[in-house]
């Protein structure tokens, strides 16, 4: 296979107020970013290698993608500062917002997000990242710098479980293949998931073997920008029990996915002393 991206690298400089690059890339919504010793990040987005670092409110990115791609990827047009002020009107969200308020929801490729969250089932972030790395190495096209593009569904649809054995992803191999086949045969229409009524979009994804409510909601939130989705895993279950015994506030439902990701990162990584009562 030939390297796909031979374009000249360009530097993109973004001004993103109240943003935390490390929190955003390491909070469990994306699995292809690696923190380097100097604090920068390397990885793949939009099928191209990228290197980026943050200094204050400035994020500098070196890649072959243009400014418009990164503007979209980091959801620059959404006013997260205003949303955090809104969230902080709810007492239970004040501490999570102060702790994890630098997170933004990335505008990721829908197929990659769907496949990644199928892989994420009953898994931890380190192992998810390893499986995805092996998936790309075995089935993706090389794009330079020792990195590979995420394989399209057409490439996985004809695979067998045995073909996916090198990924060491266990029972998830069957789910990945079924997802690829259903995308390719039109049972799952990726280009419709961003605009379908939420229940219809969720039901479409749940036709895939092994995809339940949580994986469907993760795919919709992180791959199709359905901010009304509020995936509930172990960490969010604890957050609801601890902070929202009466349920998550209905008035925040249009942006529930953003609050969910702040809650998730807070519950998973908060200082141990804050967990002394649990």
């Amino acid at each position: 296979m030939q390297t796909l991206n031979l374009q000249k690298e360009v530097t993109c400089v973004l001004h993103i107020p109240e943003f935390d690059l490390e929190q955003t890339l390491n909070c469990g919504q994306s699995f292809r970013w690696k923190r380097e010793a100097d604090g920068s990040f390397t990885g793949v987005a939009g099928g191209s290698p990228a290197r980026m670092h943050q200094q204050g409110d400035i994020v500098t990115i070196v890649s072959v993608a243009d400014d418009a791609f990164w503007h979209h990827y980091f959801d620059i047009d959404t006013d997260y500062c205003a949303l955090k002020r809104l969230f902080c009107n709810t007492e239970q969200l004040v501490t999570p917002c102060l702790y994890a308020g630098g997170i933004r929801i990335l505008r990721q490729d829908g197929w990659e997000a769907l496949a990644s969250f199928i892989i994420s089932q009953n898994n931890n972030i380190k192992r998810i990242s390893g499986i995805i790395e092996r998936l790309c190495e075995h089935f993706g096209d090389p794009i330079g710098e020792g990195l590979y593009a995420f394989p399209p569904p057409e490439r996985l649809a004809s695979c067998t479980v045995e073909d996916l054995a090198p990924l060491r992803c266990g029972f998830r191999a069957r789910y990945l293949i079924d997802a690829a086949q259903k995308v390719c045969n039109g049972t799952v229409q990726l280009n419709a998931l961003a605009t379908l009524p939420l229940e219809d979009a969720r039901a479409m994804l749940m036709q895939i073997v092994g995809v339940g409510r949580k994986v469907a909601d993760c795919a919709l939130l992180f791959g199709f920008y359905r901010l009304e989705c509020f995936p509930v895993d172990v960490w969010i279950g604890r957050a609801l029990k601890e902070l929202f015994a009466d349920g998550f506030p209905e008035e925040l439902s249009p942006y529930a996915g953003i609050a969910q990701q702040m809650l998730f990162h807070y519950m998973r990584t908060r200082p141990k002393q804050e967990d002394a009562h649990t």
Side-chain angles (χ1 to χ4, degrees), residues 205-267:
L205 287 176
M206 289 172 65
Q207 294 177 89
I208 298 168
V209 174
V211 172
R213 168 74 177 259
K214 190 207 74 164
V215 171
D217 280 356
C218 285
L220 290 168
L221 173 59
F222 300 120
F224 300 92
Y225 201 63
R226 300 301 297 260
L227 298 182
E228 69 271 40
C229 285
F230 190 88
V232 177
D233 69 344
V234 170
W235 295 106
I236 294 299
R238 291 178 187 174
L240 292 174
K241 183 178 180 180
E242 181 179 323
L243 301 173
F244 297 100
D246 296 325
F248 191 77
E250 181 65 28
E251 63 270 20
L252 299 180
S253 58
Y255 308 102
I258 297 174
Q260 183 270 0
Q261 195 60 13
M262 293 177 184
L263 278 168
F264 173 80
H265 190 63
Y266 168 69
M267 295 297 295

Side-chain angles (χ1 to χ4, degrees), residues 136-154:
C136 296
E137 288 175 352
H138 282 83
F139 297 100
D141 293 315
I143 54 175
E145 301 185 29
L147 298 171
Y148 297 81
F150 199 90
E154 293 80 9

Side-chain angles (χ1 to χ4, degrees), residues 155-169:
R155 196 160 293 162
L156 299 181
S158 60
C159 288
T160 64
V161 169
E162 290 72 26
D163 292 331
L164 269 57
L167 309 186
R168 304 195 300 276
C169 63

Side-chain angles (χ1 to χ4, degrees), residues 50-265:
R51 301 184 300 278
M52 59 184 69
H53 69 272
Q54 179 176 11
Q55 187 170 18
D57 288 344
I58 302 299
V59 177
T60 303
I61 307 163
V62 179
S63 73
V64 300
D66 60 16
D67 288 15
F69 172 83
W70 295 112
H71 193 280
H72 179 74
Y73 186 75
F74 285 111
D75 197 23
I76 301 296
D77 289 336
T78 298
D79 189 345
Y80 280 72
C81 298
L83 286 174
K84 284 187 288 185
R85 290 194 295 270
L86 174 65
F87 294 158
C88 286
N89 290 329
T90 299
E91 182 180 358
Q92 300 96 313
L93 286 174
V94 172
T95 299
C97 278
L98 290 174
Y99 181 85
I103 289 173
R104 284 175 169 257
I105 301 298
L106 300 172
R107 305 293 293 268
Q108 300 181 75
D109 174 77
W111 161 247
E112 180 172 342
L114 171 58
S116 296
F117 283 97
I118 288 173
I119 290 168
S120 78
Q121 296 181 78
N122 300 312
N123 226 338
N124 60 59
I125 290 176
K126 182 178 180 180
R127 189 159 185 272
I128 297 164
S129 298
I131 292 171
I132 291 172
E133 183 177 5
R134 293 189 291 274
L135 173 67
C136 296
E137 288 175 352
H138 282 83
F139 297 100
D141 293 315
I143 54 175
E145 301 185 29
L147 298 171
Y148 297 81
F150 199 90
E154 293 80 9
R155 196 160 293 162
L156 299 181
S158 60
C159 288
T160 64
V161 169
E162 290 72 26
D163 292 331
L164 269 57
L167 309 186
R168 304 195 300 276
C169 63
F171 63 87
R172 304 167 193 85
R174 184 166 66 96
Y175 302 168
L176 272 176
I177 294 167
D178 190 69
Q181 290 173 345
K182 285 189 166 70
V183 168
C184 290
N185 68 25
T187 301
V188 173
Q189 300 171 36
L190 297 178
N191 60 1
L193 290 171
T195 55
L196 278 173
L198 180 58
E199 289 302 323
D200 293 345
R202 187 180 285 136
M204 181 180 286
L205 287 176
M206 289 172 65
Q207 294 177 89
I208 298 168
V209 174
V211 172
R213 168 74 177 259
K214 190 207 74 164
V215 171
D217 280 356
C218 285
L220 290 168
L221 173 59
F222 300 120
F224 300 92
Y225 201 63
R226 300 301 297 260
L227 298 182
E228 69 271 40
C229 285
F230 190 88
V232 177
D233 69 344
V234 170
W235 295 106
I236 294 299
R238 291 178 187 174
L240 292 174
K241 183 178 180 180
E242 181 179 323
L243 301 173
F244 297 100
D246 296 325
F248 191 77
E250 181 65 28
E251 63 270 20
L252 299 180
S253 58
Y255 308 102
I258 297 174
Q260 183 270 0
Q261 195 60 13
M262 293 177 184
L263 278 168
F264 173 80
H265 190 63

